[in-house]
mmCIF file of all heavy atoms in Angstrom:
data_model
loop_
_atom_site.group_PDB
_atom_site.id
_atom_site.type_symbol
_atom_site.label_atom_id
_atom_site.label_comp_id
_atom_site.label_asym_id
_atom_site.label_seq_id
_atom_site.Cartn_x
_atom_site.Cartn_y
_atom_site.Cartn_z
ATOM 1 N N GLY A 749 2.624 -3.180 -14.750
ATOM 2 C CA GLY A 749 4.053 -3.010 -14.522
ATOM 3 C C GLY A 749 4.784 -4.316 -14.734
ATOM 4 O O GLY A 749 4.184 -5.357 -15.012
ATOM 5 N N CYS A 750 6.112 -4.270 -14.588
ATOM 6 C CA CYS A 750 6.929 -5.477 -14.790
ATOM 7 C C CYS A 750 7.761 -5.790 -13.565
ATOM 8 O O CYS A 750 8.713 -6.548 -13.636
ATOM 9 C CB CYS A 750 7.827 -5.311 -16.015
ATOM 10 S SG CYS A 750 9.003 -3.956 -15.893
ATOM 11 N N GLY A 751 7.425 -5.199 -12.436
ATOM 12 C CA GLY A 751 8.155 -5.406 -11.193
ATOM 13 C C GLY A 751 7.544 -4.525 -10.133
ATOM 14 O O GLY A 751 6.358 -4.214 -10.182
ATOM 15 N N SER A 752 8.337 -4.078 -9.190
ATOM 16 C CA SER A 752 7.860 -3.182 -8.142
ATOM 17 C C SER A 752 8.828 -2.019 -7.981
ATOM 18 O O SER A 752 10.035 -2.175 -8.125
ATOM 19 C CB SER A 752 7.723 -3.925 -6.811
ATOM 20 O OG SER A 752 7.301 -3.039 -5.787
ATOM 21 N N THR A 753 8.276 -0.851 -7.679
ATOM 22 C CA THR A 753 9.109 0.307 -7.356
ATOM 23 C C THR A 753 8.972 0.688 -5.886
ATOM 24 O O THR A 753 9.511 1.706 -5.460
ATOM 25 C CB THR A 753 8.732 1.517 -8.229
ATOM 26 O OG1 THR A 753 7.380 1.909 -7.940
ATOM 27 C CG2 THR A 753 8.862 1.194 -9.699
ATOM 28 N N VAL A 754 8.250 -0.110 -5.121
ATOM 29 C CA VAL A 754 7.986 0.193 -3.712
ATOM 30 C C VAL A 754 8.998 -0.550 -2.847
ATOM 31 O O VAL A 754 8.968 -1.774 -2.745
ATOM 32 C CB VAL A 754 6.547 -0.201 -3.322
ATOM 33 C CG1 VAL A 754 6.271 0.210 -1.881
ATOM 34 C CG2 VAL A 754 5.538 0.433 -4.263
ATOM 35 N N HIS A 755 9.910 0.199 -2.237
ATOM 36 C CA HIS A 755 10.938 -0.375 -1.375
ATOM 37 C C HIS A 755 10.910 0.393 -0.053
ATOM 38 O O HIS A 755 11.137 1.605 -0.025
ATOM 39 C CB HIS A 755 12.323 -0.264 -2.006
ATOM 40 C CG HIS A 755 12.454 -1.021 -3.294
ATOM 41 N ND1 HIS A 755 12.910 -2.320 -3.353
ATOM 42 C CD2 HIS A 755 12.169 -0.670 -4.575
ATOM 43 C CE1 HIS A 755 12.909 -2.739 -4.612
ATOM 44 N NE2 HIS A 755 12.457 -1.746 -5.368
ATOM 45 N N ALA A 756 10.642 -0.309 1.031
ATOM 46 C CA ALA A 756 10.457 0.356 2.321
ATOM 47 C C ALA A 756 11.654 1.210 2.715
ATOM 48 O O ALA A 756 11.494 2.276 3.330
ATOM 49 C CB ALA A 756 10.169 -0.692 3.404
ATOM 50 N N ARG A 757 12.863 0.791 2.359
ATOM 51 C CA ARG A 757 14.036 1.556 2.792
ATOM 52 C C ARG A 757 14.150 2.909 2.094
ATOM 53 O O ARG A 757 14.908 3.766 2.531
ATOM 54 C CB ARG A 757 15.318 0.738 2.599
ATOM 55 C CG ARG A 757 15.737 0.459 1.177
ATOM 56 C CD ARG A 757 16.996 -0.425 1.200
ATOM 57 N NE ARG A 757 17.435 -0.869 -0.100
ATOM 58 C CZ ARG A 757 18.306 -0.209 -0.864
ATOM 59 N NH1 ARG A 757 18.804 0.925 -0.454
ATOM 60 N NH2 ARG A 757 18.677 -0.710 -2.027
ATOM 61 N N ASP A 758 13.390 3.105 1.002
ATOM 62 C CA ASP A 758 13.370 4.411 0.342
ATOM 63 C C ASP A 758 12.351 5.358 0.965
ATOM 64 O O ASP A 758 12.349 6.550 0.650
ATOM 65 C CB ASP A 758 12.997 4.259 -1.142
ATOM 66 C CG ASP A 758 13.980 3.421 -1.930
ATOM 67 O OD1 ASP A 758 15.182 3.455 -1.615
ATOM 68 O OD2 ASP A 758 13.539 2.734 -2.871
ATOM 69 N N LEU A 759 11.466 4.841 1.809
ATOM 70 C CA LEU A 759 10.235 5.551 2.129
ATOM 71 C C LEU A 759 10.133 5.946 3.592
ATOM 72 O O LEU A 759 9.046 5.998 4.162
ATOM 73 C CB LEU A 759 9.034 4.681 1.723
ATOM 74 C CG LEU A 759 9.046 4.250 0.252
ATOM 75 C CD1 LEU A 759 7.898 3.293 -0.044
ATOM 76 C CD2 LEU A 759 8.970 5.464 -0.667
ATOM 77 N N THR A 760 11.253 6.281 4.218
ATOM 78 C CA THR A 760 11.258 6.718 5.608
ATOM 79 C C THR A 760 11.047 8.224 5.702
ATOM 80 O O THR A 760 11.275 8.966 4.736
ATOM 81 C CB THR A 760 12.584 6.345 6.282
ATOM 82 O OG1 THR A 760 13.675 6.958 5.560
ATOM 83 C CG2 THR A 760 12.783 4.837 6.300
ATOM 84 N N ASN A 761 10.574 8.665 6.850
ATOM 85 C CA ASN A 761 10.445 10.103 7.168
ATOM 86 C C ASN A 761 9.496 10.839 6.221
ATOM 87 O O ASN A 761 9.762 11.966 5.818
ATOM 88 C CB ASN A 761 11.823 10.774 7.166
ATOM 89 C CG ASN A 761 12.770 10.161 8.170
ATOM 90 O OD1 ASN A 761 12.375 9.875 9.296
ATOM 91 N ND2 ASN A 761 14.012 9.923 7.761
ATOM 92 N N ASN A 762 8.377 10.204 5.885
ATOM 93 C CA ASN A 762 7.311 10.844 5.108
ATOM 94 C C ASN A 762 7.821 11.543 3.839
ATOM 95 O O ASN A 762 7.669 12.754 3.680
ATOM 96 C CB ASN A 762 6.548 11.856 5.970
ATOM 97 C CG ASN A 762 5.837 11.208 7.133
ATOM 98 O OD1 ASN A 762 5.272 10.136 6.980
ATOM 99 N ND2 ASN A 762 5.878 11.847 8.291
ATOM 100 N N PRO A 763 8.421 10.813 2.931
ATOM 101 C CA PRO A 763 8.960 11.450 1.726
ATOM 102 C C PRO A 763 7.861 11.969 0.813
ATOM 103 O O PRO A 763 6.752 11.433 0.771
ATOM 104 C CB PRO A 763 9.724 10.300 1.049
ATOM 105 C CG PRO A 763 8.971 9.072 1.487
ATOM 106 C CD PRO A 763 8.570 9.343 2.907
ATOM 107 N N LYS A 764 8.160 13.028 0.100
ATOM 108 C CA LYS A 764 7.293 13.515 -0.978
ATOM 109 C C LYS A 764 7.578 12.644 -2.187
ATOM 110 O O LYS A 764 8.723 12.504 -2.623
ATOM 111 C CB LYS A 764 7.619 14.973 -1.295
ATOM 112 C CG LYS A 764 6.789 15.565 -2.417
ATOM 113 C CD LYS A 764 5.390 15.933 -1.972
ATOM 114 C CE LYS A 764 4.656 16.704 -3.058
ATOM 115 N NZ LYS A 764 3.315 17.138 -2.624
ATOM 116 N N MET A 765 6.521 12.043 -2.763
ATOM 117 C CA MET A 765 6.718 11.042 -3.799
ATOM 118 C C MET A 765 6.030 11.424 -5.105
ATOM 119 O O MET A 765 4.978 12.065 -5.109
ATOM 120 C CB MET A 765 6.203 9.686 -3.309
ATOM 121 C CG MET A 765 7.066 9.084 -2.209
ATOM 122 S SD MET A 765 6.326 7.615 -1.442
ATOM 123 C CE MET A 765 5.274 8.353 -0.217
ATOM 124 N N LEU A 766 6.624 10.984 -6.201
ATOM 125 C CA LEU A 766 6.094 11.204 -7.541
ATOM 126 C C LEU A 766 6.056 9.876 -8.270
ATOM 127 O O LEU A 766 7.018 9.113 -8.234
ATOM 128 C CB LEU A 766 6.989 12.186 -8.308
ATOM 129 C CG LEU A 766 6.737 12.318 -9.816
ATOM 130 C CD1 LEU A 766 5.391 12.978 -10.090
ATOM 131 C CD2 LEU A 766 7.870 13.104 -10.485
ATOM 132 N N TYR A 767 4.915 9.611 -8.927
ATOM 133 C CA TYR A 767 4.794 8.385 -9.715
ATOM 134 C C TYR A 767 4.272 8.766 -11.091
ATOM 135 O O TYR A 767 3.226 9.416 -11.214
ATOM 136 C CB TYR A 767 3.835 7.409 -9.031
ATOM 137 C CG TYR A 767 3.846 6.021 -9.613
ATOM 138 C CD1 TYR A 767 4.806 5.094 -9.232
ATOM 139 C CD2 TYR A 767 2.905 5.636 -10.551
ATOM 140 C CE1 TYR A 767 4.823 3.805 -9.757
ATOM 141 C CE2 TYR A 767 2.904 4.357 -11.079
ATOM 142 C CZ TYR A 767 3.860 3.444 -10.678
ATOM 143 O OH TYR A 767 3.875 2.182 -11.205
ATOM 144 N N VAL A 768 4.988 8.379 -12.123
ATOM 145 C CA VAL A 768 4.643 8.772 -13.494
ATOM 146 C C VAL A 768 4.129 7.545 -14.243
ATOM 147 O O VAL A 768 4.822 6.527 -14.326
ATOM 148 C CB VAL A 768 5.861 9.380 -14.212
ATOM 149 C CG1 VAL A 768 5.470 9.823 -15.625
ATOM 150 C CG2 VAL A 768 6.402 10.566 -13.430
ATOM 151 N N GLY A 769 2.917 7.677 -14.809
ATOM 152 C CA GLY A 769 2.257 6.553 -15.466
ATOM 153 C C GLY A 769 1.458 5.780 -14.431
ATOM 154 O O GLY A 769 1.904 4.744 -13.940
ATOM 155 N N VAL A 770 0.272 6.255 -14.066
ATOM 156 C CA VAL A 770 -0.369 5.822 -12.822
ATOM 157 C C VAL A 770 -0.956 4.415 -12.867
ATOM 158 O O VAL A 770 -1.176 3.800 -11.823
ATOM 159 C CB VAL A 770 -1.485 6.814 -12.404
ATOM 160 C CG1 VAL A 770 -0.898 8.183 -12.166
ATOM 161 C CG2 VAL A 770 -2.614 6.865 -13.440
ATOM 162 N N GLY A 771 -1.237 3.879 -14.076
ATOM 163 C CA GLY A 771 -1.870 2.574 -14.129
ATOM 164 C C GLY A 771 -3.176 2.589 -13.358
ATOM 165 O O GLY A 771 -3.912 3.575 -13.367
ATOM 166 N N GLY A 772 -3.463 1.515 -12.653
ATOM 167 C CA GLY A 772 -4.684 1.455 -11.863
ATOM 168 C C GLY A 772 -4.558 2.041 -10.475
ATOM 169 O O GLY A 772 -5.502 1.999 -9.691
ATOM 170 N N GLY A 773 -3.382 2.572 -10.143
ATOM 171 C CA GLY A 773 -3.191 3.237 -8.855
ATOM 172 C C GLY A 773 -2.617 2.374 -7.758
ATOM 173 O O GLY A 773 -2.458 2.844 -6.627
#
Side-chain angles (χ1 to χ4, degrees):
C750 62
S752 178
T753 63
V754 184
H755 297 267
R757 68 183 175 91
D758 298 327
L759 304 175
T760 59
N761 301 317
N762 297 320
K764 179 77 172 183
M765 290 171 275
L766 168 68
Y767 191 83
V768 182
V770 299

